[in-house]
Amino acid sequence: YSNSYKLSYPDAFWFNIEPTYGCFLADNFVLGVMTPSFLSFSTSATRLSFGFTPFIRKYIKTNCNLKPFIGLAAGYNHSYWKYKKVDIQDYPFDQFNYRLDIGCNYFFTKSASLITTVNYEEYSEVRSFTRSNGFFALKVGVEIYFARIKKDKNVNDQQKE
């Protein structure tokens, strides 16, 4: 939800999907990438956007399946406005995005979790470096992680012999 967008297009409907891929590189530390995309409709325009956003996330160590975290992300999005009025030119543009996440995962297996985050996100257009208004978002979803590769000491010892 963006206040500036909502004021300009009060009848807008947004559909957002954000596949997220991550890998635990160390205990409680994840490196990954999000591929955000969304489609927005209003009576005056349609917007299609897709992107590539690497992220890092640090989990707070707990003794249960509930793991709070803080994360940072920065990436690139390409968007395209298609206006329904004939006299307004369609507008493709590229943006950099920056994001701060605070959230919590509930791991129901070692590689899958339910996630809830509150994040603050900002965009700046690549051509003009114009900064758009930032916005807060509440996101809920499911995440799947790739397992961390651990070296088996016994295998290494056997290879030396």
Side-chain angles (χ1 to χ4, degrees):
Y1 172 76
S2 169
N3 288 336
S4 61
Y5 183 82
K6 196 70 170 169
L7 292 173
S8 302
Y9 301 97
D11 59 345
F13 170 78
W14 292 42
F15 177 74
N16 185 20
I17 187 166
E18 189 173 88
T20 302
Y21 312 93
C23 182
F24 279 93
L25 298 178
D27 287 341
N28 300 313
F29 181 74
V30 171
L31 182 64
V33 65
M34 295 177 274
T35 52
S37 16
F38 75 88
L39 184 59
S40 172
F41 302 99
S42 76
T43 54
S44 56
T46 300
R47 180 180 176 184
L48 175 63
S49 179
F50 53 91
F52 181 82
T53 306
F55 72 90
I56 58 172
R57 192 178 289 166
K58 173 66 175 146
Y59 286 89
I60 298 169
K61 189 174 183 174
T62 65
N63 293 327
C64 64
N65 292 350
L66 199 58
K67 307 279 186 192
F69 68 85
I70 186 165
L72 295 172
Y76 170 83
N77 287 338
H78 177 75
S79 294
Y80 185 80
W81 281 105
K82 173 97 174 128
Y83 293 97
K84 294 177 181 173
K85 293 183 179 179
V86 179
D87 59 338
I88 301 177
Q89 185 177 4
D90 295 344
Y91 183 62
F93 61 98
D94 298 311
Q95 295 175 311
F96 291 117
N97 65 316
Y98 315 95
R99 182 164 142 179
L100 171 66
D101 290 325
I102 296 173
C104 199
N105 284 67
Y106 176 77
F107 286 88
F108 48 90
T109 71
K110 288 185 178 184
S111 62
S113 71
L114 296 173
I115 181 170
T116 302
T117 66
V118 173
N119 62 35
Y120 179 77
E121 209 161 340
E122 243 183 52
Y123 291 87
S124 60
E125 193 170 339
V126 172
R127 283 187 281 185
S128 63
F129 288 102
T130 330
R131 187 178 71 85
S132 70
N133 292 332
F135 61 92
F136 285 94
L138 172 65
K139 296 187 179 187
V140 177
V142 174
E143 290 186 335
I144 297 174
Y145 296 88
F146 299 106
R148 188 171 99 186
I149 300 171
K150 293 184 179 182
K151 293 183 181 179
D152 187 358
K153 291 180 184 178
N154 295 334
V155 172
N156 289 337
D157 292 339
Q158 288 172 358
Q159 289 175 348
K160 291 179 184 176
E161 294 176 358

